[in-house]
Structure formats: structure tokens, C-alpha cells
């Protein structure tokens, strides 16, 4: 059984900081291979086409605030990350390299803080300082240079995740300092206050910083055992974590579960709560396999094709995956005294996925979710290697050398794979072709490649790359679960002058069955913009109206969106009377005295649609959406 001895404060030698500088330089050298790459996916909405971000001026405080709170999916959260995007934009415009350079620097900073944390943890767990610093740097290098992180560091918008990781690590570092001080008989108050500060900054970067108490609880469970030199303080820590655990359980069952839990599919998703939880049992094993055997061809970035677990035996691997996870958790609990580092690492990994693999209706898989959890498995690996190289208590220095040499070999292999993957990320077309080759069942991979070909065509009807884009999106459409590919086919063929009735029918048929995701809803605005003179195309507004009807019948929109749809139907189609039902939807979706409702009634009266205005106003009053006469 391993016991944690009374710690001593030992300053890190200068060589430790020199090693961190070398680690930072190496991290930048490897990841800079991917700097020439393009923006991708969510970079578009959050950076490239984020009007609030692009219009922010250093001399205009209001515009700065709009930019900082412009992360729409979070309702204004992640403001610190958006602030850094704004600063990058001021620094270098919309050059992807500027944003990615900042990501690399922040990732290197994470590695440095992680090394400091690991040095403390190894010293506590192994009861000695000898070699702890070097092994900590080696583990931090393995973490920083792991190929799984390429899609986090070189995906600009994942600045949110990297910043969150950085501040969570700083919070863990100061928490460790505080607890070590308390074990030595000091208060640790200053470091505890710093922990609160770092946690607050982490929450401004991304919401998963709320997991910090889970990480600290794991440190207590495996290393500190809630101990302190003062018996009173020891009792306070035990009581505090007991109350925190109890509160978490109550919040989950009485707040989170009733709010998120559903037996029907989540809005915009093809799975319900149970199916999501079942699927996550397999997803966690996927993450573990990618961390332990990180072959670049198995890190596909796109996982929209990943099969959903409809039951414990569909697919058949679901039940073994569940039992396997239970077994790992049981093992971590059982060895928390004898092998605290092993338990700490395993529980650290699971803690990092406590939100994203739970009942919240997020997408099923993203590689960046392993940014912090991966550090836990580095600890597990180090502890297992140490056990291999420790047959006895003799020749400790040689064991450290052997352990360090083994870690160096592993790091070298990981770095080679990381450099290869960074190379793929260094060019948008190369990356898109690579993703299709390693994930041919991913509709998103085909869409990305299709869009790359279209960009090369520059919208020229007779350009060969336009036909290449059409063929690529046609292949993506053939996968059978996506509507965006066929939308692109309709638009590109219209530009080419080869659009047929069959192309429209293929799109409309797909819209009847495809899951209405946020991306599918966006099809409406893409079609509208290409049928109202906003682009060089003039799609048939009546066919666009058919697509709108199919999508609107299967999902809901905001009051403002319904109003925009109604105006399009009225102003551009041959059946303007059909706009009336969408105007009723404005009222159904709107809040009390919603500006969209008031604007709609005002516009109708100004354009002499008194009958419509009166009927809709009466309907709004009946629905309790108007408390006074409309303007």
C-alpha cells in the first residue's frame, strides 16, 4: 500500500525551467507545420462571418462588448475566448495563421503548467523528488505532442477549449499548493483565492470549467485523503466535499435530468437521452483507443457517421463497452490506496468527460473533448511503466533513466504522428481530401471537399472544378443521411445552368426524412439568399417555398425567423397568401409583446393589409402575446 508522506516544499531546479522552454519551442515547431491551413467548420460562424467581431473597433466600447458576447450558441458565454478572437483580428485580420499561432502558444502554456502540476503529483504519489521533474516534463511533452490534439490546436475556434484547459490547470496548480501548505500547517488561503480566480476565468472561456470541483475531489480521494495538519480543517474538507457531492446528485436528478432527459429525440438530434448514454459507452472506448494507439488514420475529425446505440445490444458492442467502463471505474476505486496515481489518472479521464458524455444533447463525438482528460492517461501510463521498471527498491537512478528513456521513445513516436497530421492540416484542400479518404462515410467530409472544389472554381459556370464540386456533393448525398450536399448540388447546377426538376425532387425527398439539425435549418436561408437577388443566382422561389414548408413542418424557428420566412413567401412566390400561416407562427413562437410581432402588425397596417392585421392582432391577444393595442 502506498502512503502519502508529509510533503516538503522543494523549489524546481533551473534545469526544470530550461526543459519547459525546450518543450514550448518543440511544441511550436511541430504545430507550426499546420499554420498555412484554412478555417474550418465552426470557424465560419464564430470568426469569419461573425459580424459583431469584424465590426469591433478599439475606439468603440459598445462594438467591443458586442464582439465579446457574440458567441450565439452560448447566449453570450465564452466571452474571454471571443475577446481573444477580437484581439487576433485586430492583430492580423482574418488570416487563419494568426489565430492558430495564438492557439499553439496557449497550448504550449498549458503544457508548462501541466508539467508543474505533474511534478507536484509525482512527488506526492511516489514520496520522492528524485526524477519527478524530468518525468513530469516528459509526460507533459507526451500530452502536448499527442496527435489527437492536432485538431484542437489547429482548429481556430477550439481556442475556447484550450483557454478553458489552461485556466483549469492553473486552478489545479494553485489548489495543490494550497493543500500542500495546509498539510504543512499553513493556511493556503492565498492559493485558494487564486483557485477561485482561475476557475472564474476558465468559465469565461468554456462551460466545462464547472468540472473543477470534480478534479479537486479526485485529488482528495487519491492523494490528500482530505488531510490537513489541523484536525478542524480536516473535518471541514470532508464535510465540504460530502455536501458538494450530495448537492451534485440532487441537482442532477431534480434539475438536469428533468430538463435534458427525453425519451423522444433531442431537437436537432437523431437520438434521445438513453441512446446518447448508451452511445457514449462506446465513444469513451473510442477515445481511449485513440489516446493509446493514435494512428493518424484513426483520428478522422469527422464523426457524423458514427453509429448510435439504439439499445444495449444494438450494436452488440454497447453492452461490453458499458461493463468495461464499470470495470475501469471499479479498478480505479480499488487501487486508490495502493496505486493512487493510477486511480487519479483514470478518474481524471472520466471526470473530463462527465459533461460531454452525459445527458446534455451535444454532438456525440469531438476530439477536442480529450484536451484535458488525456493528461490523466499520461499519469496512468507513467505509473504502469514505473511498476515495470521497479522490480525492487534498489538502483533507483537506473530505474528513472530506463523509465525516462521509454517515455522518450513513446514521445518521439507520438511527435512523428503529430507532425504528419499537422502537415495534413497545413492545406485546406489536402485536409479535405485526406478526411474523405479516412472517413468515406462522413457526409461532413464530403461537404467540406465539395466546398473546396467550389472555391477553386470561383463560381465560374464553365470551370472544371465546379463540376468536380457537383460530383463530390452528389457522392456525399448518396450516403443517405444529409441534405446539405444536395442543396449544394441544386445551387451549383443552377449556377452551371444544368439544374433539373429531378435535382429539386431529390432535395425535397431528402428533407422529408433527414434529421433537422441546425445545419439543415440553415438550408432555408441559403436557398432564400439564392432566390431573392442577393447572389448571382435566381432559384425558383416556389421550389424554395416547398423546401421551407418541409423543414418548417418538422422543426420550429424563432419569431424573427418566421417573420423573415413570411416576408419571403409574400414578396417572392406566386402564392403570397401562404405567408399568412407563417405570420401566425410568428405569434406562436414569439414572447409577450415580441418585437417581431409588433413589427409584423405595423408593417401590415402600413401596407393596407388591414384584414390580416386585425385577424392576427386578435389572435395575438387570444394567445396572450399582446398586452396592449398594436402600433
Amino acid at each position: 500500500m502506498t502512503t502519502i508522506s508529509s510533503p516538503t516544499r522543494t523549489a524546481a531546479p533551473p534545469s526544470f525551467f530550461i526543459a519547459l522552454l525546450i518543450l514550448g519551442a518543440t511544441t511550436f515547431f511541430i504545430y507550426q507545420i499546420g499554420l498555412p491551413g484554412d478555417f474550418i467548420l465552426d470557424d465560419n460562424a464564430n470568426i469569419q462571418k461573425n459580424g459583431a467581431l469584424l465590426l469591433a473597433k478599439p475606439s468603440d466600447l459598445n462594438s467591443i462588448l458586442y464582439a465579446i458576447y457574440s458567441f450565439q450558441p452560448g447566449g453570450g458565454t465564452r466571452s474571454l475566448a471571443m475577446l481573444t478572437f477580437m484581439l487576433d483580428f485586430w492583430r492580423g485580420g482574418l488570416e487563419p495563421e494568426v489565430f492558430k499561432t495564438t492557439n499553439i502558444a496557449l497550448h504550449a502554456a498549458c503544457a508548462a503548467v501541466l508539467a508543474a502540476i505533474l511534478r507536484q503529483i509525482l512527488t506526492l504519489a511516489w514520496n520522492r523528488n528524485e526524477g519527478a521533474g524530468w518525468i513530469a516534463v516528459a509526460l507533459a511533452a507526451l500530452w502536448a505532442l499527442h496527435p489527437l490534439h492536432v485538431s484542437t490546436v489547429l482548429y481556430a475556434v477550439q481556442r475556447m477549449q484550450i483557454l478553458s484547459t489552461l485556466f483549469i490547470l492553473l486552478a489545479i496548480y494553485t489548489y495543490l499548493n494550497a493543500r500542500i501548505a495546509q498539510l504543512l500547517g499553513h493556511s493556503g488561503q492565498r492559493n485558494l483565492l487564486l483557485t477561485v480566480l482561475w476557475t472564474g476565468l476558465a468559465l469565461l472561456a468554456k462551460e466545462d470549467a464547472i468540472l473543477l470541483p470534480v478534479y479537486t475531489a479526485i485529488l482528495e480521494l487519491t492523494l490528500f485523503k482530505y488531510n490537513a495538519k489541523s484536525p478542524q480543517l480536516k473535518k471541514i474538507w470532508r464535510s465540504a466535499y460530502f455536501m458538494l457531492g450530495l448537492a451534485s446528485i440532487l441537482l442532477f436528478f431534480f434539475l438536469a435530468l428533468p430538463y435534458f432527459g427525453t425519451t423522444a429525440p433531442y431537437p436537432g438530434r437523431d437520438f434521445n437521452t438513453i441512446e446518447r448514454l448508451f452511445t457514449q459507452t462506446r465513444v469513451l472506448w473510442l477515445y481511449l483507443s485513440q489516446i493509446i494507439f493514435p494512428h493518424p488514420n484513426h483520428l478522422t475529425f469527422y464523426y457524423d457517421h458514427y453509429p448510435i446505440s439504439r439499445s444495449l445490444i444494438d450494436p452488440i458492442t454497447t453492452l461490453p463497452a458499458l461493463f468495461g467502463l464499470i470495470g475501469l471505474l471499479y479498478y480505479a476505486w480499488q487501487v486508490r490506496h495502493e496505486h493512487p496515481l493510477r486511480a487519479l489518472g483514470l478518474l481524471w479521464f472520466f471526470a473530463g468527460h462527465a459533461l460531454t458524455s452525459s445527458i446534455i444533447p451535444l454532438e456525440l463525438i469531438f476530439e477536442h473533448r480529450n484536451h484535458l482528460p488525456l493528461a490523466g492517461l499520461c499519469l496512468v501510463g507513467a505509473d504502469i511503466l514505473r511498476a515495470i521498471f521497479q522490480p525492487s527498491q534498489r538502483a533507483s537512478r537506473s530505474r528513472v533513466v530506463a523509465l525516462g528513456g521509454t517515455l522518450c521513445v513513446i514521445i518521439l513516436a507520438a511527435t512523428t504522428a503529430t507532425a504528419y497530421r499537422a502537415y495534413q492540416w497545413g492545406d485546406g484542400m489536402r485536409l479535405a481530401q485526406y478526411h474523405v479518404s479516412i472517413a468515406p462515410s462522413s457526409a461532413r467530409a464530403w461537404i467540406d471537399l465539395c466546398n473546396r472544389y467550389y472555391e477553386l472554381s470561383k463560381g465560374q459556370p464553365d470551370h472544371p472544378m465546379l463540376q468536380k464540386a457537383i460530383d463530390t456533393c452528389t457522392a456525399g448525398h448518396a450516403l443517405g443521411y444529409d441534405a446539405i450536399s444536395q442543396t449544394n448540388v441544386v445551387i451549383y447546377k443552377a449556377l452551371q445552368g444544368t439544374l433539373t426538376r429531378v435535382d429539386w425532387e431529390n432535395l425535397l425527398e431528402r428533407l422529408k426524412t433527414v434529421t433537422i439539425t441546425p445545419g439543415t435549418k440553415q438550408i432555408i436561408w441559403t436557398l432564400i439568399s439564392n432566390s431573392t437577388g442577393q447572389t448571382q443566382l435566381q432559384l425558383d422561389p416556389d421550389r424554395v417555398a416547398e423546401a421551407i414548408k418541409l423543414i418548417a413542418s418538422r422543426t420550429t424557428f424563432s419569431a424573427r425567423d418566421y417573420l423573415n420566412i413570411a416576408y419571403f413567401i409574400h414578396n417572392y412566390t406566386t402564392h403570397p397568401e401562404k405567408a399568412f400561416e407563417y405570420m401566425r407562427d410568428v405569434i406562436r413562437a414569439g414572447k409577450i409583446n415580441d418585437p417581431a410581432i409588433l413589427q409584423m402588425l405595423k408593417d401590415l397596417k402600413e401596407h393596407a393589409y388591414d384584414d390580416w392585421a386585425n385577424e392576427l392582432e386578435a389572435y395575438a391577444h387570444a394567445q396572450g402575446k399582446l398586452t396592449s393595442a398594436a402600433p
Side-chain angles (χ1 to χ4, degrees):
M1 176 176 176
T2 300
T3 58
I4 305 301
S5 62
S6 298
T8 58
R9 290 186 179 275
T10 305
S15 58
F16 179 76
F17 297 101
I18 293 173
L20 292 185
L21 290 175
I22 294 173
L23 172 57
T26 304
T27 300
F28 188 86
F29 176 76
I30 296 299
Y31 282 99
Q32 62 83 31
I33 298 172
L35 284 180
D38 298 330
F39 287 126
I40 191 171
L41 280 183
D42 291 345
D43 292 341
N44 182 55
N46 290 290
I47 300 174
Q48 278 182 294
K49 295 183 178 179
N50 184 344
L53 186 71
L54 304 183
L55 294 174
K57 304 296 181 185
S59 59
D60 186 352
L61 179 59
N62 285 333
S63 70
I64 292 174
L65 292 175
Y66 279 124
I68 292 174
Y69 293 103
S70 64
F71 179 67
Q72 296 303 321
T77 60
R78 309 191 185 183
S79 53
L80 182 59
M82 298 308 299
L83 172 62
T84 65
F85 289 146
M86 181 185 69
L87 295 176
D88 275 348
F89 175 66
W90 288 352
R91 181 167 65 94
L94 284 177
E95 287 296 325
E97 184 171 338
V98 174
F99 293 82
K100 296 183 181 188
T101 299
T102 303
N103 280 15
I104 296 174
L106 290 170
H107 183 63
C110 288
V113 180
L114 178 61
I117 290 172
L118 295 177
R119 179 177 175 271
Q120 291 177 314
I121 290 176
L122 293 176
T123 301
L124 285 169
W126 291 347
N127 296 332
R128 57 171 59 89
N129 292 320
E130 181 183 3
W134 290 107
I135 294 174
V137 172
L139 292 177
L142 178 59
W143 176 86
L145 300 171
H146 196 286
L148 188 59
H149 288 329
V150 170
S151 61
T152 302
V153 178
L154 297 179
Y155 183 10
V157 79
Q158 291 310 330
R159 171 86 51 81
M160 300 170 182
Q161 182 63 64
I162 300 171
L163 271 175
S164 178
T165 296
L166 176 60
F167 289 118
I168 290 175
L169 287 173
L170 286 168
I172 291 173
Y173 178 71
T174 52
Y175 182 86
L176 282 167
N177 284 336
R179 294 293 286 120
I180 290 172
Q182 290 175 348
L183 288 173
L184 294 172
H186 308 301
S187 72
Q189 185 175 18
R190 176 176 174 274
N191 277 300
L192 287 177
L193 290 174
L194 284 173
T195 300
V196 174
L197 171 64
W198 297 132
T199 304
L201 291 174
L203 286 168
L204 294 177
K206 197 174 181 184
E207 299 82 357
D208 58 2
I210 198 173
L211 292 172
L212 178 70
V214 182
Y215 288 111
T216 59
I218 292 169
L219 290 171
E220 294 294 338
L221 183 68
T222 57
L223 292 181
F224 295 115
K225 308 294 195 299
Y226 314 102
N227 283 324
K229 198 161 188 179
S230 164
Q232 183 180 6
L233 192 56
K234 179 178 179 179
K235 183 177 180 181
I236 290 174
W237 279 116
R238 285 186 175 277
S239 300
Y241 276 102
F242 173 79
M243 295 303 297
L244 182 63
L246 180 61
S248 299
I249 293 172
L250 293 175
L251 285 173
F252 176 80
F253 283 103
F254 292 100
L255 184 62
L257 189 58
Y259 183 80
F260 290 115
T262 174
T263 56
Y266 291 111
R269 305 295 185 200
D270 191 25
F271 48 82
N272 60 27
T273 303
I274 296 298
E275 290 169 339
R276 187 178 201 284
L277 292 175
F278 284 168
T279 306
Q280 288 304 305
T281 62
R282 294 168 37 245
V283 169
L284 288 173
W285 280 107
L286 172 67
Y287 291 154
L288 286 167
S289 69
Q290 290 176 327
I291 292 171
I292 298 171
F293 306 106
H295 192 287
N297 288 357
H298 298 156
L299 308 177
T300 59
F301 182 64
Y302 294 114
Y303 297 91
D304 51 308
H305 58 297
Y306 192 79
I308 297 169
S309 291
R310 300 301 180 184
S311 73
L312 281 174
I313 57 173
D314 179 20
I316 194 64
T317 52
T318 306
L319 189 59
L322 175 60
F323 283 137
L325 293 180
I326 294 173
L328 282 181
L329 287 169
Y330 178 76
Y331 174 77
W333 178 262
Q334 288 294 104
V335 302
R336 69 190 187 280
H337 299 301
E338 184 178 359
H339 299 289
L341 201 61
R342 220 169 289 181
L344 168 60
L346 285 172
L347 294 175
W348 180 303
F349 172 80
F350 285 111
H353 292 289
L355 278 184
T356 55
S357 290
S358 67
I359 62 176
I360 302 174
L362 304 170
E363 289 202 30
L364 293 174
I365 307 174
F366 268 124
E367 291 175 2
H368 70 262
R369 294 172 183 170
N370 290 284
H371 195 241
L372 186 53
L374 194 152
L377 294 190
C378 291
L379 282 171
V380 175
D383 200 51
I384 292 174
L385 287 175
R386 178 176 180 266
I388 293 173
F389 291 110
Q390 188 184 359
S392 68
Q393 296 300 317
R394 295 175 297 174
S396 61
R397 183 176 295 276
S398 63
R399 291 199 310 274
V400 170
V401 171
L403 174 57
T406 303
L407 284 173
C408 286
V409 172
I410 296 172
I411 292 167
L412 180 61
T415 302
T416 302
T418 299
Y420 173 77
R421 200 174 185 214
Y423 166 77
Q424 299 296 342
W425 277 76
D427 179 83
M429 176 58 75
R430 181 168 63 233
L431 181 64
Q433 292 172 331
Y434 179 63
H435 281 157
V436 166
S437 70
I438 63 175
S441 299
S442 167
R444 284 181 176 173
W446 286 99
I447 292 168
D448 184 29
L449 183 57
C450 169
N451 291 337
R452 300 291 178 183
Y453 285 132
Y454 175 75
E455 290 171 3
L456 289 178
S457 78
K458 298 180 180 179
Q460 299 175 13
D462 57 349
H463 198 289
M465 287 295 104
L466 182 58
Q467 184 58 50
K468 191 78 170 175
I470 292 170
D471 294 341
T472 303
C473 266
T474 299
H477 175 73
L479 294 175
Y481 61 91
D482 149 66
I484 298 176
S485 294
Q486 187 61 22
T487 302
N488 286 349
V489 169
V490 167
I491 293 171
Y492 297 163
K493 281 195 170 185
L495 182 63
Q496 193 182 55
T498 59
L499 182 62
T500 67
R501 179 183 61 81
V502 173
D503 297 320
W504 272 112
E505 293 302 325
N506 286 340
L507 174 59
L508 296 176
E509 283 300 314
R510 181 58 55 82
L511 290 175
K512 293 177 182 178
T513 58
V514 72
T515 301
I516 306 298
T517 65
T520 309
K521 293 170 74 170
Q522 188 63 33
I523 287 174
I524 285 182
W525 314 115
T526 301
L527 293 176
I528 286 177
S529 66
N530 283 285
S531 63
T532 58
Q534 299 178 48
T535 67
Q536 65 189 89
L537 293 182
Q538 190 65 46
L539 294 177
D540 182 354
D542 288 335
R543 302 313 301 263
V544 173
E546 291 181 63
I548 291 174
K549 183 178 180 180
L550 284 171
I551 296 174
S553 67
R554 302 182 59 216
T555 189
T556 58
F557 293 89
S558 67
R560 178 63 60 179
D561 285 344
Y562 279 123
L563 184 59
N564 290 332
I565 292 171
Y567 284 175
F568 166 76
I569 299 295
H570 182 272
N571 295 335
Y572 291 94
T573 71
T574 58
H575 297 283
E577 71 281 357
K578 293 183 178 181
F580 186 78
E581 189 57 37
Y582 292 105
M583 292 181 179
R584 289 174 68 90
D585 288 332
V586 173
I587 296 170
R588 295 188 189 103
K591 302 175 183 177
I592 298 175
N593 296 325
D594 195 295
I597 298 174
L598 300 178
Q599 179 184 337
M600 176 181 67
L601 297 176
K602 179 181 177 182
D603 290 345
L604 288 172
K605 291 178 180 179
E606 287 181 351
H607 290 82
Y609 282 83
D610 293 333
D611 290 344
W612 282 20
N614 291 336
E615 184 174 345
L616 290 169
E617 185 174 355
Y619 180 70
H621 280 293
Q623 295 291 313
K625 299 301 177 66
L626 280 181
T627 59
S628 59

